[in-house]
């Protein structure tokens, strides 16, 4: 029991440290959107930029918050228990493989940009399509920076460093905020693509250089494919990547359907999502990243269940009131943040309604994100794939069913899908462990009731 308490305290400590760094990062991320909104508002050129950014940013979910962490962190953490030197050597070999793979993906992305843009935005006219293709090609090298950032983040988290990895996106956003006004005036919307690349480089370099101080500096090392640990990472990575690639269909669905709606629909969905990312990244991603190493190091099923239970309760304890608060002040908050420059009254009203509906799904997103980390720690790639596939199918079906609500329906659908997929993930975890998880303490209600008087 003492070990469980120590692990839970460690997880909460790490989560709080990450929240501190993430808070600054998310605030600067919001400032970044304020700068973009003031220059470009909710227009078709901004829609084209959001399509291009979504395509070039797939690695953030696929690698930084998904497959790479899921495959690398559990193996690295176990090797670290035996030998720090061997663990860091494994990270260097993984870095070489990652550079090779991401370079191929970038080359293919640049070549097939016209097809990718057509798939994601079939409702665009020819000029919007060409603009999105050009922006996509400019931004695709961003994948390399964000993928290497994912590796260094996983290494540093496993070594007990959480604050600087959580703070590094702030450097990325700060670089964007500083460069975007200059580049936007000089190059128009193309300048935003250049700012994205500068920010991605800053994101990676901040953590990479911090690794030097941690005596865990990474550089490419010739991989040994006979190394069982490296082989295990690759074996886990491929199914996780396949599953999380499916997960990237979720934003694609909203972009595809949004391209058929009125001008600016994709932009208002993106602006509302940026606000949603503030509590999601600040609390949920911080908790899920902190809990993965703890789950991977759990000595038995009882310790694993207790760690997962505390992570879910902590997430809901914070997210539920945050969701309610943002829903109640959505119009006032959007007005404060975005209404200036080219951001007009229609954009204000549309972004506010999208934000309120998106926040309804935040508790479900929180649970789903934490539960997916539990599946990764239990090395359950098949079940993780099934949960992701279920989420994608559900998002598609709910989006189509709610499309009569226009952009509001597209804002509501993902939250419903993530809530259902989180419940499915909990079912798989409970089945694997053979024990009830008891996330909700039913005894709390009996303790709240007055004692009977006889």
């Amino acid at each position: 029991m003492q070990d469980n308490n120590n692990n839970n305290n460690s997880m909460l400590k790490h989560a709080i440290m990450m929240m501190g760094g993430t808070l600054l990062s998310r605030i600067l991320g919001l400032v970044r959107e304020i700068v973009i909104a003031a220059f470009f508002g909710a227009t078709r050129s901004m829609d084209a930029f959001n399509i291009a950014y979504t395509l070039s940013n797939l690695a953030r979910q696929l690698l930084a918050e998904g497959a790479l962490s899921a495959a690398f962190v559990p193996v690295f953490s176990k090797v670290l228990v035996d030998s720090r030197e061997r663990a860091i050597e494994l990270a260097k070999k993984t870095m070489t493989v990652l550079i090779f793979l991401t370079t191929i993906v970038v080359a293919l992305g640049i070549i097939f940009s016209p097809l990718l843009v057509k798939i994601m935005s079939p409702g665009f006219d020819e000029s919007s399509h060409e603009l999105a293709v050009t922006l996509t090609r400019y931004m695709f090298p961003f994948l390399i920076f964000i993928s290497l950032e994912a590796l260094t983040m996983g290494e540093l988290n496993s070594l007990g460093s959480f604050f600087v990895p959580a703070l590094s996106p702030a450097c990325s956003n700060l670089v964007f905020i500083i460069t975007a006004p200059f580049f936007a005036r000089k190059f128009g919307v193309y300048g935003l693509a250049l700012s994205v690349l500068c920010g991605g480089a800053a994101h990676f370099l901040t953590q990479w250089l911090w690794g030097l101080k941690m005596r865990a500096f990474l550089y490419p090392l010739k991989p040994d494919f006979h190394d069982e640990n490296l082989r295990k990472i690759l074996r886990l990575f491929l199914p996780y990547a396949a599953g999380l690639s499916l997960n990237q269909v979720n934003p694609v669905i909203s972009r595809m359907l949004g391209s058929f709606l009125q001008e600016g629909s994709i932009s208002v969905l993106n602006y509302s999502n940026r606000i949603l990312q503030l509590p999601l990244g600040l609390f949920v991603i911080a908790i899920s990243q902190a809990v993965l190493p703890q789950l991977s190091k759990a000595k038995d099923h009882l310790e694993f269940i207790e760690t997962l239970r505390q992570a879910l309760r902590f997430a809901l304890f914070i997210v539920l009131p945050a969701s309610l608060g943002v829903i109640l002040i959505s119009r006032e908050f959007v007005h404060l943040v975005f209404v200036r420059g080219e951001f007009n009254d229609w954009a204000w009203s549309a972004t506010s309604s999208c934000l309120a509906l998106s926040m309804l799904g935040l508790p479900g997103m929180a649970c789903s994100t934490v539960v997916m980390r539990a599946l990764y720690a239990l090395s359950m790639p098949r079940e993780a794939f099934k949960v992701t596939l279920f989420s994608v199918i559900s998002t598609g079906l709910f989006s189509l069913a709610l499309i009569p609500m226009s952009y509001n329906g597209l804002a509501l659908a993902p939250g419903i899908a993530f809530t259902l997929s989180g419940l499915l993930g909990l079912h798989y975890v409970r089945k694997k462990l053979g024990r009830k998880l008891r996330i909700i303490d039913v005894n709390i209600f009996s303790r709240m009731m007055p004692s009977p008087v006889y």
Side-chain angles (χ1 to χ4, degrees), residues 156-171:
L156 292 173
N157 287 173
S158 298
L159 291 171
S161 177
F162 290 86
F163 183 71
V164 171
L167 191 63
S168 62
C171 298

Side-chain angles (χ1 to χ4, degrees), residues 68-295:
L68 183 61
S69 293
F72 175 74
V73 171
V75 179
F76 182 85
S77 299
K78 286 182 170 60
V79 177
L80 186 63
V81 172
D82 298 326
S83 170
R84 178 187 173 95
E85 290 73 20
R86 283 179 54 217
I88 294 175
E89 181 181 336
L90 174 64
K92 293 174 181 177
K93 294 176 180 177
T94 306
M95 186 180 200
T96 306
V97 176
L98 190 59
I99 291 173
F100 176 75
L101 292 177
T102 52
T103 301
I104 293 176
V105 172
V106 167
L108 292 174
I110 292 173
I111 293 170
F112 292 104
S113 288
L115 176 61
L116 295 174
V117 170
K118 188 65 177 177
I119 292 173
M120 183 169 283
S121 53
F124 273 6
D125 58 28
E126 184 176 351
S127 62
S128 299
H129 173 82
E130 290 300 322
L131 176 59
V133 169
T134 304
L135 290 170
T136 300
R137 285 173 168 163
Y138 285 169
M139 284 191 285
F140 240 103
F142 178 74
L143 293 175
I144 297 176
F145 295 127
I146 208 67
S147 301
L148 293 175
E149 176 273 330
L151 179 66
T152 54
M153 179 184 65
E155 179 199 38
L156 292 173
N157 287 173
S158 298
L159 291 171
S161 177
F162 290 86
F163 183 71
V164 171
L167 191 63
S168 62
C171 298
S172 171
N173 290 327
L174 185 60
V175 168
F176 186 98
I177 292 166
I178 293 172
T179 60
F182 172 76
F183 289 148
R185 288 191 182 98
K186 191 172 182 63
F187 305 111
V189 73
Y190 298 103
L192 296 181
L194 185 56
S195 293
V196 166
L197 292 177
C198 292
H203 194 173
F204 164 61
L205 289 174
T206 303
Q207 293 188 127
W208 191 48
L209 294 175
W210 183 251
L212 181 63
K213 186 179 186 305
M214 292 286 297
R215 294 184 296 110
F217 188 70
L218 292 185
Y219 54 84
L221 192 66
K222 182 179 179 181
D224 177 11
F225 292 103
H226 296 292
D227 184 338
E228 182 55 34
N229 290 311
L230 181 60
R231 290 164 65 91
K232 185 174 182 180
I233 290 173
L234 294 178
R235 284 199 304 269
L236 290 173
F237 176 80
L238 292 176
Y240 284 142
L244 288 162
S245 293
L246 275 177
N247 204 35
Q248 301 313 305
V249 176
N250 284 335
V252 171
I253 291 171
S254 64
R255 301 304 192 265
M256 288 177 64
L257 296 177
S259 70
F260 290 102
L261 301 177
Q262 66 189 96
E263 177 181 328
S265 294
I266 295 175
S267 296
V268 298
L269 285 166
N270 183 71
Y271 289 133
S272 67
N273 183 63
R274 288 300 178 185
I275 299 177
L276 173 68
Q277 291 301 317
L278 184 60
L280 184 65
L282 177 59
F283 305 123
V284 180
I285 301 301
I287 294 169
S288 64
Q289 288 176 344
V291 77
L292 181 56
Q294 298 296 326
L295 291 172

